[in-house]
Amino acid sequence: MKKTVRHRVPGTSPGAYDIAPVRAVQHAHVEVSDYTATTLTAQSSDIELLDSPQPTSGVRWIHVAGTPSMEVLDKLRKLYGLDPLALEDVVNLGQRPKFNEYQTMLFVTLLIPDHAEAGRFEQLSVFANARTVISFHDGTPGLLDPIRKRLASDSSRMRRNDGCYLLYALIDLGIDHLFPVIDGIGGEISALEAEVLERPRRNALARLHEIRNRLLVYRRTAWATREILSDLFRHLDSSDEDRTYLRPYLQDCHDHIVSVIDLLETHREVATSLVEVYLSLVSNRLNETMRVLTLIATLFIPPTFIVGVYGMNFDRDAGPWSMPELGWPFGYVGVMAFIGVMMVGMLIYFRIKRWI
Amino acid sequence: MKKTVRHRVPGTSPGAYDIAPVRAVQHAHVEVSDYTATTLTAQSSDIELLDSPQPTSGVRWIHVAGTPSMEVLDKLRKLYGLDPLALEDVVNLGQRPKFNEYQTMLFVTLLIPDHAEAGRFEQLSVFANARTVISFHDGTPGLLDPIRKRLASDSSRMRRNDGCYLLYALIDLGIDHLFPVIDGIGGEISALEAEVLERPRRNALARLHEIRNRLLVYRRTAWATREILSDLFRHLDSSDEDRTYLRPYLQDCHDHIVSVIDLLETHREVATSLVEVYLSLVSNRLNETMRVLTLIATLFIPPTFIVGVYGMNFDRDAGPWSMPELGWPFGYVGVMAFIGVMMVGMLIYFRIKRWI
Amino acid sequence: MKKTVRHRVPGTSPGAYDIAPVRAVQHAHVEVSDYTATTLTAQSSDIELLDSPQPTSGVRWIHVAGTPSMEVLDKLRKLYGLDPLALEDVVNLGQRPKFNEYQTMLFVTLLIPDHAEAGRFEQLSVFANARTVISFHDGTPGLLDPIRKRLASDSSRMRRNDGCYLLYALIDLGIDHLFPVIDGIGGEISALEAEVLERPRRNALARLHEIRNRLLVYRRTAWATREILSDLFRHLDSSDEDRTYLRPYLQDCHDHIVSVIDLLETHREVATSLVEVYLSLVSNRLNETMRVLTLIATLFIPPTFIVGVYGMNFDRDAGPWSMPELGWPFGYVGVMAFIGVMMVGMLIYFRIKRWI
Amino acid sequence: MKKTVRHRVPGTSPGAYDIAPVRAVQHAHVEVSDYTATTLTAQSSDIELLDSPQPTSGVRWIHVAGTPSMEVLDKLRKLYGLDPLALEDVVNLGQRPKFNEYQTMLFVTLLIPDHAEAGRFEQLSVFANARTVISFHDGTPGLLDPIRKRLASDSSRMRRNDGCYLLYALIDLGIDHLFPVIDGIGGEISALEAEVLERPRRNALARLHEIRNRLLVYRRTAWATREILSDLFRHLDSSDEDRTYLRPYLQDCHDHIVSVIDLLETHREVATSLVEVYLSLVSNRLNETMRVLTLIATLFIPPTFIVGVYGMNFDRDAGPWSMPELGWPFGYVGVMAFIGVMMVGMLIYFRIKRWI
Amino acid sequence: MKKTVRHRVPGTSPGAYDIAPVRAVQHAHVEVSDYTATTLTAQSSDIELLDSPQPTSGVRWIHVAGTPSMEVLDKLRKLYGLDPLALEDVVNLGQRPKFNEYQTMLFVTLLIPDHAEAGRFEQLSVFANARTVISFHDGTPGLLDPIRKRLASDSSRMRRNDGCYLLYALIDLGIDHLFPVIDGIGGEISALEAEVLERPRRNALARLHEIRNRLLVYRRTAWATREILSDLFRHLDSSDEDRTYLRPYLQDCHDHIVSVIDLLETHREVATSLVEVYLSLVSNRLNETMRVLTLIATLFIPPTFIVGVYGMNFDRDAGPWSMPELGWPFGYVGVMAFIGVMMVGMLIYFRIKRWI
C-alpha cells in the first residue's frame, strides 16, 4: 500500500518544476523523430538536436527517456511554450492520470503498470498538437518499442496522420498494459478461491487483503484514465480543427478502458464475497471442533463421576447404608453395564440430533 | 470466474483483425438471404454468393456462422466498407456488448448466454443499415432459427420493414435468452434458501458464492445491453432517416432489459441476505453445542470433585479430624443426597435461565 | 421469492398477444360507462356493448374484469387502434409497472398489492386519452368500487374532467393501496425489533430475511411507479393538449409515492441494522454461556486434581517420603482448607475481572 | 420506529380535507398581524378577525395555532383561494417536508423536531405570497415566539421586506431547530463510543440501533428540507417578481441544511463503525475467556489422569507387573515431581506462545 | 469525534455577527499590504491603518489575525460593504468550507488542518475582488508566511496579478496542507496493517475506529473544498471580468483536491478491509485455542474415566464378577497399554484430520 507522491511544500509557488533536489546527476536521453507519410528521420541522444529546425510538414516527436535535466526542460519550455504547471507534473512523479488543455498543446499524464512490482506505476507524460509530440518517460526501457516499430513501417496509419494520432497510440498502449496486470489479479483470485474452498491456509485473508488493495490502486487509475478519454472527446467536439477521424479510435480506447473497469469491479466483488466465504468456513471449522469436544466431554464426564462414586472410601462397616453396593456380587458388572447403556444412549441421541 | 478475453499484444496497431493465430483451419458457413415484403431467396454455404449483385430493393442479410476466414472478412470489408476496428471486435471474442455507429453501418456486439455452460456467453456481432445486415455468430447452431422462421412467413413484420428491424429482432432475441437463465438462477437461490433455512449442507456458502459470481457476470452484460439500447435511441433521434416506426419496438426491448436488471438486482440482494442468514444459523448452532457442553460440565464436574474428596486415602486412625465422615453410618447416603440436591438445583437454575 | 412472469419463447414476434395457451375458457366481464358532467350511463356484461356508438361528448370508460377473451381484445384493438405490443403486456401478467405513449392513447400498467398474499401483485392496465379510457383488471373484485362510487356522484371532479383525470384516479388508487401494506411491514419489523431485543426466537432471522425480500419486491414496484409519474409529467409538458389542470393532482400522487419509497428505504435500513443486533446478541449469549463453563471448570478442575493426589494408593510403608501426609492428624483438614482458600481466591479474582 | 401517518382510505377523492373524524371539539387559536416597515398591529383569538379588510400596503400574517376547525379552513380557502390538496396536507399530520407552488401562493410543509420526544416531529405548514402569509402549527406553544419578537422590533429586516421573507424566516427557524437535536445525538454517540471502548454494557448495541433509527428519521427530513430549498431557488429563478434580495438568505439556509446533512452522515458512519468495534470487542472477550479455560484444562487434566492411574486398586500381590511403583520408596515423590515439571513446562510453552 | 460548532439560538436574526458572548478581550492583529507589480508596502498592528486611502492601482490585502473585535468588523463592513451573513460565518468557527458570491466580493471559507491536533481544523475566511482581499485567520501564527514571502519577491506572479490570484494562492495553500495530514494517516494505516497481520494488540480496532473517524472528517472537508473550486469555475465562466488567466491555476488546485479525495477514499477502503482482516484473525486465534483445548480434553478425558474404573472399591470377595481384573498379574500393564494405544490412535486420527 506504499505510494510515493512527491508533494510540494505548502505555499510554494505553482509551476515550480525546478525545485526537486534530486536532480544533481541526470541521464536523460533525448530522441527526435521527424516523420511524414513518406519519410522518417530518427536521431537520438543529443540535446542540440532540439535546436534543429522542424521540417515544414509532418510531425516531430521528441521523446525524453529518464529523468530530464533542467536544461532540457527549459529549452523545451521556450521552444514550444510548455506551461510550467504541466512541467511540474512531468517531474513530480506519482501524479494521477490527467488531461489538460493548454493554449498550444494538449497535455496527458498516463500511469502504466510497472510489471516488475505489483501495484506500482510508471509515469508517461505527453504534450501533443498536430505538428509536435513531446513525451517523457522515466522507467522500463523498451516500453515504447512497439510504437517505434509501427512508426518505422511506411504503411502504418500513424505515419499518415497528425500528432494527435500518436497521442492516441500512446494512450492506447497505456490501456493495453492494464489488461495483463488485471488478468494476473484475476488468476490470483481464482487460485485463492480454489484454495479457500478447498483448505484455506492461514494467510489467505492477508493475501486477499493485499489483492484488494492492489485492485483499489488500479481502479483509481482506470477511472482517471476513463476521465481522460471523456475529456478528449469533449475536446474533439469543441475543437476548431477537424479531427473526427480520431473518434472511432478513441471510442475503441474508451471501450477498452470500460472493459478494464468492468473486470476490476467484478474482481472486487468476487474478492469481497470470498472474504465472507472464508470467514464462514472458519466458523464452520470452529463449530466442528467444538462438536468433537462436546461429544467427548458429554460421553465421558458423567461416567467418570459414577466411577468416582464407587471409588469413595466410606467404611462399609459403619452401617447398612454405607455403600452396600460394593459388596454385591454383581455390583461391578451392573455399574459397568449401566455406564455402557448410558453411553450408547447418548450416541443414539447425538445421531438423532445429527451431531455425528 | 473464468473469462477468456483474447487481448491484443500492447502496442499493436488498432483494427488488426488479421492477427489471431488460431485461424489455420476454418469452417465458416455463409448464408445470404434477400427479402422484400413479397419475396425471399435464401442461399447458403458458398463464399462466391457474396459477389452476387444485391437486388435493387429489399434487404440482404448475410449471416456468417462459425469462425470467419480472413478471405470472408476481407471480402465483406471491401464490399460494404466495414471498419477494421469493428472487424477486430468480431474476431476477438469475449467483448463487452457494445454499440458503434460507423459511417455506413451500425455495429452491435451482443452476448447471448450459453445454455450449455453457466456464466458463459456466445458472441453475436451485427452490422446493419437499411439495405444490408451482416451478422457473425460462432456458437450453438440453431440460435437464429426462430428469426429465420419468422422471415419465412410472408405476413411477418420483418419482411415489410428495413434492415434495422432485423437488427432489432436480433437484439430482442438476445435479451429474451437472458430470461430463462435468470429464472434458473432464481430457482437455484430459492432452493438454497429453503435448504439454508431447513438444514444447510456444508457447501451451501460455496454454492452461494458461485451463484453471486454468475449474477455479477450477467449483470455486467445486462447493463451493457441496456446501454446499447440507450445508444440506439439516441441514434434514432439524431438520425436523418426516419425510423420512428422502430421506437415502440426498441421501447419494448428496453422494458425487457430493465426487467432483467431488476430481477438480477433482486437476486443479488436476496443472495447477500441469505449469506447473513447462513452465518447466523452457523452461530446459532455453535451456541447450541456450547450450551450442551456447559450443561454437562456444570452438572458433573462439581460432583466429581466431591466424590474425589471421599476417595482420598487419609488415615482415619491419624486423629479425630482425619476424614471422620467415612465412619458415619449415613455418610454415604448423605453425600449422595447432597449431590442429588445440587444437581436438581442446577437443573432448576438452568431452566429459569432458559438454557434448557 | 416466487415471481411468475410468463416469458415469451425467445425469438417470437413482438406484439403476439394471442399466443397464451391458457385461454380456452374465459369469464371476462365488460362494463361500459359513458359520462359527462351531468349524465352517467353504466352498462355491463355484454360484448356487443362495445359496438354501441360513443356519445359525441363526454368520456367512455370500458372496464374488462377477468381474463379477456381474444374476441374482446381484437374488437378493442380495431375500434380504438390499440397497439399489439401493449395488448401483449395486458395479457402477460407479471409485468413491471410502466408507461408508454402510443399514437392515440397513453398506456399505463400498474401493480396493486394483493392483500390476500404478501409480496404478490394484481395487474391493472389502463389505456387512456381525453375521450376514452379502457382498463383491464384480473383480480380481487371490488377493487375499483371507490372509483365507481365517486363517478356516480354528480358533484365529483371526475365527472367534470376528461379521461386523463380517470387515469390519474386509477394511478392514485394503486399508490394508496401500497400504504397499508407497507404499514403492515413496519408493524412486523417493530414486533420483531421488540422480540429480538427482548428474547429472540430461533426463526427471527428467517423472518427478517423474508421481510427483506418482500421489501425488495415492493421497492421495485414503488420505484417503477415513480418513473411512471415522471414520464407522465414529461408527457404533460410536451403534449399539445392543455392538461395543466392535472399537474397538482399528479404532483400529489408523486408526493405520495415518494413517501412510500422513503418508508420502504427506512424499513430496509432498520431491518439491516436489526440483523446486526441479532447477530451480536447471539454472540453475547455465547459469551455468557462460555463464561459459566469457564467459571465452573476453573473452580473445580484444580481441586479435583488435588483430591486425586490423595486418592493415590502409594504404599505408606515403602519409605518416609511415600505419602506421609496421609498419616498427619490434620492432613485432611489442611487439604480441605487449602482447597477452600483456593476456590475463594479464584472467586475474588473473577469478581475483580468482572466475570461474575 | 413508530410513525403515525394518517392515510386516506384508498380511492377517496383528492383534496378531501374535511374527512378527518377526530375534529368534534377544536381549540384552534387564530392570530392576525398586519405589518409594514413602520406599523404593526397584532390581534388574536377571534375568527371574525379574518374578515377585517387587509390594509392596502404591508403584509398580513395569519397564524392558526392548534387543530384548525372546518370553519376556519373553509373561510381561509375562500378568502385566499387555498388549494384543497394543500389543506388536506395541513390537516393530515405526518407529511414529508415539501414545497408546492400554487397559482396564488407558495405552500411549504416543514417538520420541526419535537424536543420532548426523540425522533418525532411537529408540522408547520405555511402558505405565502408577497402580501399574505398563513401558517398552521399544532404543537409546542411558543415555537414562533422568536419570530414574533423580531417582528415586534421596528428595525427588523422582516418588517421591511415582503411576505416571502417571513416564509424564509420560518424555514430558517425549522432548520435551526435541527442542530441541537443532532448535537444531542452526537453526544450520545460519543458517550457510547467511550463506553464501548472502555467496558460495554449489555444494551450498548440496542441503544446504537435506536440511535441509528433516529438518525434515519432525521436524515429523511433533512434531505426533504434540502429539496424544499432547491425548489425555492428554482422558483426564484423562474418567478416574474423580483425577489433576488432573498437569494443570500436562502443560500445561508441551504448551507445550514447541508451542514446538518453532513453531520448526520458522519454520525451514521461513526455509528456503523462502532457496531463493528463492539462486535469485535465481544469476540475478543470470548477469546480471553476461552484462553483461560484452555489454560486451566490443559494444565490440570493430564495430571488428573496421572494421579488417577495411581489411585487404581490393582492387587500388588497379583504379580511383579501389577503396580510395583506403589511400593517404591520414592514413587510418590517421583510422580509429584514429574507432574510439577510437566506443569512448569506447559506454562513455559504457553508463555512462548504468548497465551499468558 | 468532537466537533465544536457554535450554533445560533433558533430563531435569531440572520447575519447577527455581534452576538458571540466570548468577545470581551480581543487580540486581533491587523496587517495591511498594498502591492503592485513593482511596489509593496506592508504595515501592521493598528486599526487606523484601515482608514488610510487605498492607492489608485494595485491590490490591498488586509489580514486580520486572531479573534477580530466588533470595531474591526464594523469598520470593514462599512468600508467594503461586506455582507453581515458572511461576517457571521467569519466569527462562528466550525463552518463547512464554502463559497459565496456577494455583490462586490467573493467570499470563501477554508478549513486548514490543525497539525497540532489530529482531526481539527483552523478556519481561514477570505473576501476577495480584483482590488481588495480581506482574510481572517484565528490559529497557528505563521500559516501565511509562505504567501508573504512570495509576495515580497518582485518577480512573483502574485505581484503581477489581481486580488483573485491571491485568493487562489490562499486556497492552494489550504489544499497543500491536507497532503501531509493524509500521508500521516496513510502511514498510521500501514503501520496498523503490519501490526494486525503480524500480532495485533488489543486496541488495534479502537485505533482503526479512530482513524476512520478522522478520515470521515477530512473527507467531508475535501469534498466541500472541491465544491468551492467547482463554484469558482462556474463563477469564472459567468463573470463579466476576464479572468481566464486563472483557469489553469484553479485546474491545478482542482487536480490536487481530487488527488486528496482519491487518497482518502483509498485509505477508507483499506481501513475497512483491515477491520475484516482483524476480525478474521481474532476468529482464527479462537479456533486455534479451541483446537488445543479439544485435543487435550479428547486425549485425556477417556483415559481418566478408565483409570477411574479401576479405582472403584468393589469388594473382590463378593463374587467372581466383582472386579476380577484387579487380581490378574498383567491387569495393570494391560490397562496402561490399552490407554497408550488409544492415545496414539487419537493422535494419528487428529493428524489425519490435520488438527495438529
Side-chain angles (χ1 to χ4, degrees), chain B residues 183-354:
Chain B
D183 269 11
I185 293 181
E188 286 181 60
I189 290 178
S190 294
L192 258 176
E193 209 167 16
E195 182 194 317
V196 162
L197 293 175
E198 195 68 37
R199 172 169 296 282
R201 269 184 285 156
R202 292 204 52 197
N203 67 346
L205 210 76
R207 276 186 293 154
L208 257 173
H209 176 68
E210 190 271 333
I211 287 174
R212 287 163 85 188
N213 286 355
R214 246 191 292 150
L215 284 172
L216 275 179
V217 173
Y218 289 118
R219 192 165 70 117
R220 203 166 63 176
T221 303
W223 278 103
T225 308
R226 188 185 165 160
E227 269 173 51
I228 290 179
L229 285 164
S230 306
D231 289 346
L232 272 171
F233 274 118
R234 226 167 300 136
H235 171 76
L236 276 188
D237 287 344
S238 65
S239 170
D240 300 333
E241 301 167 69
D242 181 48
R243 289 215 192 86
T244 44
Y245 83 91
L246 260 180
R247 185 161 273 280
Y249 297 107
L250 288 177
Q251 183 62 49
D252 200 53
C253 262
H254 189 262
D255 290 348
H256 289 165
I257 195 73
V258 167
S259 281
V260 165
I261 288 170
D262 255 17
L263 282 169
L264 283 168
E265 296 295 343
T266 305
H267 287 343
R268 241 163 69 91
E269 300 216 29
V270 171
T272 302
S273 161
L274 205 51
V275 170
E276 279 172 6
V277 172
Y278 176 79
L279 288 176
S280 124
L281 289 177
V282 167
S283 281
N284 267 338
R285 194 157 292 215
L286 178 62
N287 247 355
E288 202 184 314
T289 312
M290 292 311 298
R291 210 156 47 223
V292 169
L293 175 60
T294 304
L295 278 178
I296 296 289
T298 311
L299 275 180
F300 287 97
I301 286 178
T304 302
F305 163 67
I306 292 169
V307 303
V309 167
Y310 293 104
M312 290 196 292
N313 293 324
F314 280 96
D315 191 346
R316 282 172 58 208
D317 301 332
W321 295 103
S322 191
M323 307 195 79
E325 306 94 317
L326 297 181
W328 296 348
F330 292 96
Y332 173 59
V333 175
V335 163
M336 295 311 284
F338 174 72
I339 288 174
V341 167
M342 200 171 76
M343 287 171 96
V344 170
M346 275 189 179
L347 285 172
I348 291 171
Y349 176 79
F350 291 152
R351 183 78 208 152
I352 289 167
K353 279 267 193 174
R354 300 229 190 175

Side-chain angles (χ1 to χ4, degrees), chain A residues 121-133:
Chain A
F121 295 92
E122 297 176 357
Q123 185 170 319
L124 173 65
S125 312
V126 188
F127 292 87
N129 61 19
R131 299 281 327 275
T132 318
V133 175

Side-chain angles (χ1 to χ4, degrees), chain B residues 69-243:
Chain B
S69 66
M70 195 55 47
E71 197 187 346
V72 170
L73 292 175
D74 277 341
K75 188 163 251 178
L76 287 169
R77 184 166 66 78
K78 277 174 207 148
L79 282 169
Y80 298 100
L82 306 183
D83 196 293
L85 285 168
L87 285 176
E88 191 189 351
D89 288 338
V90 167
V91 297
N92 283 343
L93 304 181
Q95 298 300 316
R96 245 176 132 249
K98 66 180 177 182
F99 169 81
N100 284 112
E101 199 181 329
Y102 291 106
Q103 280 145 341
T104 57
M105 290 191 125
L106 304 178
F107 176 61
V108 169
T109 304
L110 295 165
L111 291 186
I112 294 172
D114 182 343
H115 294 284
E117 189 179 349
R120 306 214 58 150
F121 295 92
E122 296 176 356
Q123 186 171 317
L124 174 64
S125 312
V126 188
F127 292 87
N129 61 19
R131 299 278 330 273
T132 318
V133 176
I134 306 170
S135 58
F136 297 86
H137 173 235
D138 186 359
T140 320
L143 182 79
L144 302 187
D145 284 353
I147 302 285
R148 287 193 195 94
K149 226 159 104 190
R150 276 160 62 194
L151 198 59
S153 149
D154 278 355
S155 67
S156 124
R157 228 171 278 136
M158 214 181 277
R159 289 272 288 280
R160 276 174 283 135
N161 288 311
D162 70 358
C164 287
Y165 189 91
L166 180 54
L167 173 64
Y168 145 74
L170 290 168
I171 295 173
D172 196 40
L173 177 80
I175 294 171
D176 281 355
H177 271 283
L178 280 168
F179 279 104
V181 171
I182 288 160
D183 269 11
I185 293 181
E188 286 181 60
I189 290 178
S190 294
L192 258 176
E193 209 167 16
E195 182 194 317
V196 162
L197 293 175
E198 195 68 37
R199 172 169 296 282
R201 269 184 285 156
R202 292 204 52 197
N203 67 346
L205 210 76
R207 276 186 293 154
L208 257 173
H209 176 68
E210 190 271 333
I211 287 174
R212 287 163 85 188
N213 286 355
R214 246 191 292 150
L215 284 172
L216 275 179
V217 173
Y218 289 118
R219 192 165 70 117
R220 203 166 63 176
T221 303
W223 278 103
T225 308
R226 188 185 165 160
E227 269 173 51
I228 290 179
L229 285 164
S230 306
D231 289 346
L232 272 171
F233 274 118
R234 226 167 300 136
H235 171 76
L236 276 188
D237 287 344
S238 65
S239 170
D240 300 333
E241 301 167 69
D242 181 48
R243 289 215 192 86

Side-chain angles (χ1 to χ4, degrees), chain A residues 150 183 193 273 290 313 325, chain B residues 7 11 96 209 290 310 332:
Chain A
R150 276 160 61 194
D183 270 12
E193 210 168 15
S273 162
M290 292 310 298
N313 293 323
E325 308 93 318
Chain B
H7 307 307
R96 245 176 132 249
H209 176 68
M290 292 311 298
Y310 293 104
Y332 173 59

Side-chain angles (χ1 to χ4, degrees), chain C residues 70-323:
Chain C
M70 195 51 52
E71 197 188 345
V72 170
L73 292 174
D74 277 341
K75 188 162 254 178
L76 287 170
R77 183 167 65 78
K78 279 173 207 148
L79 282 170
Y80 297 101
L82 306 184
D83 195 293
L85 285 168
L87 285 175
E88 192 190 353
D89 288 339
V90 167
V91 298
N92 283 343
L93 304 182
Q95 299 300 317
R96 246 177 132 248
K98 67 178 175 183
F99 169 82
N100 283 111
E101 201 181 327
Y102 290 105
Q103 280 146 340
T104 57
M105 290 191 125
L106 304 177
F107 175 61
V108 168
T109 304
L110 294 166
L111 290 186
I112 294 172
D114 181 343
H115 294 284
E117 189 179 350
R120 305 216 55 150
F121 295 92
E122 298 176 354
Q123 186 171 319
L124 173 65
S125 312
V126 189
F127 292 87
N129 61 18
R131 298 280 329 271
T132 319
V133 176
I134 306 169
S135 57
F136 297 86
H137 174 235
D138 185 0
T140 320
L143 182 80
L144 301 187
D145 284 353
I147 303 286
R148 288 194 195 93
K149 226 158 102 189
R150 276 160 62 194
L151 198 58
S153 149
D154 278 355
S155 67
S156 124
R157 228 171 279 139
M158 213 180 277
R159 290 272 287 279
R160 276 174 283 133
N161 287 313
D162 69 358
C164 286
Y165 189 91
L166 180 54
L167 173 64
Y168 146 73
L170 291 168
I171 295 172
D172 195 40
L173 178 80
I175 295 171
D176 281 356
H177 270 283
L178 280 168
F179 278 103
V181 171
I182 288 160
D183 270 12
I185 293 181
E188 285 182 61
I189 290 178
S190 294
L192 259 176
E193 209 169 16
E195 183 193 316
V196 162
L197 293 176
E198 194 68 35
R199 173 169 294 282
R201 269 184 284 156
R202 293 204 50 197
N203 66 346
L205 210 76
R207 277 186 292 154
L208 257 173
H209 176 67
E210 189 271 333
I211 287 174
R212 287 164 84 188
N213 286 355
R214 246 190 293 151
L215 284 172
L216 274 179
V217 173
Y218 289 118
R219 192 165 72 116
R220 202 165 63 176
T221 303
W223 277 102
T225 308
R226 188 186 165 159
E227 269 174 51
I228 291 179
L229 286 165
S230 306
D231 289 346
L232 272 172
F233 273 118
R234 225 168 301 137
H235 171 76
L236 276 188
D237 287 344
S238 66
S239 170
D240 300 334
E241 300 167 69
D242 180 47
R243 289 214 192 86
T244 45
Y245 83 91
L246 260 180
R247 186 161 271 282
Y249 297 107
L250 289 177
Q251 183 61 49
D252 200 53
C253 263
H254 188 264
D255 290 348
H256 289 165
I257 195 71
V258 167
S259 280
V260 165
I261 289 170
D262 255 17
L263 282 170
L264 284 168
E265 295 294 345
T266 305
H267 287 342
R268 241 163 69 91
E269 301 216 27
V270 171
T272 302
S273 161
L274 205 52
V275 170
E276 278 173 7
V277 172
Y278 176 80
L279 288 176
S280 124
L281 289 177
V282 168
S283 281
N284 267 337
R285 195 158 291 214
L286 178 63
N287 246 355
E288 203 184 315
T289 311
M290 293 311 297
R291 210 154 47 222
V292 169
L293 176 60
T294 304
L295 278 179
I296 294 289
T298 312
L299 275 180
F300 286 99
I301 286 179
T304 301
F305 163 68
I306 292 169
V307 302
V309 166
Y310 293 104
M312 290 195 293
N313 292 323
F314 280 97
D315 191 345
R316 282 172 58 208
D317 301 332
W321 294 104
S322 190
M323 306 195 81

